[in-house]
């Protein structure tokens, strides 16, 4: 059994405590076996030493809201793209995400069970995946690809084997559709509780699904497989409906009001803010052919989004890092930490949101998210001290080493011995 010893770096373990100098992380097989002072570790001489070269040693980051099967592109390009090509593109998106220092993700619709198996079997490189399969949406709501021309152009194809279509209306339809997603391998149920920025026929403040429908979705996940529900929810009423129904996490949360904050705190609901999403829409609109409606709505909501994040953070709502990657390029995920800091978090809080809290949001807190003995060896090494320059993480070259499940996935350190 190979033993790795990582040394000579600033240890930021994901728990939020003071960073440590002079500590080492020891890995045997795919598990962390020791974290602590180098003086307290009994060297055998058989260890393979990884020299962090004065950088920082952190847990692998976790993005709780991505779409690994897509990057936004113009409608004409999507219509001219062969179906199977999206899988080959997804392999590149997954690799880019992993090399950015993201070792675990929750896919918020689009990835099927085959993608997860391809990563787990080592056919392609990528972060470990938690799947939602596809999102539940009402007819004419966010996720319904119907356009004002009368044609339907979904961002991703659905209704193919392993990918049920998500449109459903009424209690019995949402119950059946939830069961279809579970049957297809969903590990979390995704529901669109409001309209959205990218959909052509609704608005972020429009409320989707009744409280009874949302409760049915939560009930099916909880009582059949113990599966939690993540809710795309941007308008205040839709957010509150989702929280009252018992959803596990609110995605985006653009128009959070005081009542929503109190409900989220009282129900222990996570917020996954995806601050990068509207920023990226405005930055890339011309290059990727964003529709005018999406650009207009992004301009309208962006300041509300920032204010809601600040409100939730100040109130103590649990915040897990998520980006909506796929709306923007995969591999740019860690820009989100800088945006969270601009919204009032300290750099350490943004790191905890991207490690320990994100792991808890996925229900994986006993396996990943912090550097502790017994946990899976998901470890990254970055140049410099991210607590002094959180924006440096947005540059993928800052991430020098990525270890996932005890295996090197990226290594730019010349002094690393493997």
């Amino acid at each position: 059994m190979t033993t790795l010893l990582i040394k000579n770096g600033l240890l930021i373990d994901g728990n939020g405590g003071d960073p440590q100098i002079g500590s080492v992380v020891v890995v045997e097989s795919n598990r962390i076996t020791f974290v602590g002072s180098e003086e307290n570790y009994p060297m055998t001489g058989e260890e393979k030493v990884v020299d962090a070269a004065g950088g920082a040693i952190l847990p692998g980051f976790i993005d709780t809201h991505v779409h690994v099967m897509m990057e936004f592109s113009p409608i004409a390009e999507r219509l001219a793209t062969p179906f199977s090509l999206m899988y080959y593109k997804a392999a590149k998106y997954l690799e880019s995400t992993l090399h950015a220092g993201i070792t675990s993700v929750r896919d918020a619709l689009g990835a099927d069970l085959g993608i997860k198996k391809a990563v787990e079997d080592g056919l392609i490189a990528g972060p470990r995946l938690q799947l939602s399969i596809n999102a539940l949406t009402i007819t004419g709501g966010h996720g319904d690809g119907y356009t004002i021309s009368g044609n339907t152009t979904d961002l991703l194809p659905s209704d193919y084997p392993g990918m049920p279509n998500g449109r459903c209306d009424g209690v019995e339809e949402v119950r059946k559709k939830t069961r279809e997603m579970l049957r297809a391998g969903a590990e979390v149920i995704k529901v669109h509780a409001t309209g959205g920025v990218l959909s052509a026929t609704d608005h972020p403040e429009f409320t989707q699904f009744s409280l009874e429908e949302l409760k049915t979705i939560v009930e099916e996940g909880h009582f059949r497989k113990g599966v939690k529900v993540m809710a795309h929810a941007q308008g205040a009423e839709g957010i509150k409906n989702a929280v009252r129904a018992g959803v596990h996490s609110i995605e985006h949360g653009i128009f959070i009001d005081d009542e929503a904050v109190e409900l989220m705190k009282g129900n222990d609901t996570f917020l996954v803010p995806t601050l990068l999403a509207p920023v990226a829409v405005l930055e890339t609109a011309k290059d990727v052919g964003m529709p005018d409606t999406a650009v207009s709505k992004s301009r309208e909501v962006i300041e509300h989004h920032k204010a809601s994040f600040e409100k939730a953070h100040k109130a103590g709502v649990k915040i897990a890092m998520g980006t909506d990657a796929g709306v923007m390029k995969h591999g740019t995920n860690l820009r989100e930490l800088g945006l969270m800091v601009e919204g009032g978090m300290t750099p350490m809080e943004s790191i905890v949101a991207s490690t320990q809290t994100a792991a808890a949001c996925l229900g994986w807190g006993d396996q990943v998210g912090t550097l502790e003995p017994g946990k899976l060896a998901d470890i990254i090494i970055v140049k410099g001290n991210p607590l002094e320059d959180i924006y440096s993480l947005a540059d993928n070259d800052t991430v020098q080493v990525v270890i996932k499940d005890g295996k090197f996935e990226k290594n730019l350190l010349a002094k690393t011995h493997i």
Side-chain angles (χ1 to χ4, degrees), residues 68-86:
V68 303
M69 291 296 289
M70 62 164 278
E71 281 184 0
F72 194 91
S73 59
I75 290 177
E77 182 179 323
R78 278 180 266 149
L79 292 174
T81 299
F83 171 80
S84 59
L85 185 62
M86 70 179 182

Side-chain angles (χ1 to χ4, degrees), residues 192-376:
H192 290 149
T194 71
V197 169
L198 291 185
S199 42
T201 58
D202 63 21
H203 184 275
E205 291 189 279
F206 289 1
T207 301
Q208 298 183 179
F209 291 112
S210 67
L211 181 58
E212 186 180 6
E213 288 169 323
L214 291 170
K215 285 182 175 179
T216 299
I217 295 164
V218 171
E219 178 184 272
E220 283 298 313
H222 177 70
F223 289 111
R224 289 176 62 83
K225 286 191 174 183
V227 171
K228 293 179 170 60
V229 178
M230 59 188 297
H232 163 107
Q234 299 184 354
E237 292 308 312
I239 292 169
K240 288 181 281 193
N241 274 352
V243 176
R244 291 184 180 115
V247 304
H248 180 65
S249 65
I250 295 296
E251 314 297 306
H252 316 302
I254 289 174
F255 292 98
I256 289 175
D257 62 17
D258 292 339
E259 184 183 12
V261 165
E262 291 307 311
L263 282 169
M264 292 179 73
K265 288 178 64 181
N267 287 274
D268 213 25
T269 311
F270 287 86
L271 172 65
V272 178
T274 68
L275 296 170
L276 184 53
V279 172
V281 168
L282 296 179
E283 288 178 346
T284 64
K286 290 183 179 179
D287 293 336
V288 303
M290 285 284 179
D292 291 341
T293 54
V295 176
S296 174
K297 283 187 280 186
S298 291
R299 288 199 182 102
E300 178 187 347
V301 306
I302 196 164
E303 293 305 321
H304 292 287
H305 200 180
K306 293 176 184 176
S308 291
F309 174 83
E310 292 175 11
K311 182 193 295 284
H313 173 247
K314 286 178 181 177
V317 172
K318 294 187 300 185
I319 295 176
M321 192 274 277
T323 62
D324 218 359
V327 173
M328 75 291 299
K329 284 187 176 297
H330 294 281
T332 64
N333 312 57
L334 296 187
R335 288 184 64 192
E336 183 77 14
L337 279 73
L339 295 173
M340 289 193 291
V341 168
E342 290 172 14
M345 278 188 170
T346 66
M348 181 63 85
E349 286 175 330
S350 75
I351 289 172
V352 172
S354 309
T355 53
Q356 183 187 61
T357 308
C361 183
L362 269 60
W364 292 352
D366 60 337
Q367 295 294 315
V368 295
T370 56
L371 300 179
E372 299 178 71
K375 291 198 173 181
L376 292 172

Side-chain angles (χ1 to χ4, degrees), residues 108 161 176 376 418:
K176 182 177 181 181
L376 292 172
I418 306 174

Side-chain angles (χ1 to χ4, degrees), residues 138-194:
I138 65 169
T139 299
H142 186 64
D144 183 344
Y146 183 92
T147 67
I148 56 174
S149 70
N151 296 307
T152 298
T153 55
D154 290 321
L155 283 175
L156 285 168
S158 61
D159 268 345
Y160 62 87
M163 183 57 61
N165 188 287
R167 281 186 287 276
C168 50
D169 302 284
V171 168
E172 292 312 310
E173 278 193 22
V174 302
R175 189 185 304 279
K176 182 177 181 181
K177 193 61 67 172
T178 302
R179 292 174 180 177
E180 288 182 9
M181 296 305 168
L182 292 167
R183 182 177 65 181
E187 299 162 292
V188 60
I189 297 297
K190 169 78 178 295
V191 59
H192 290 149
T194 71

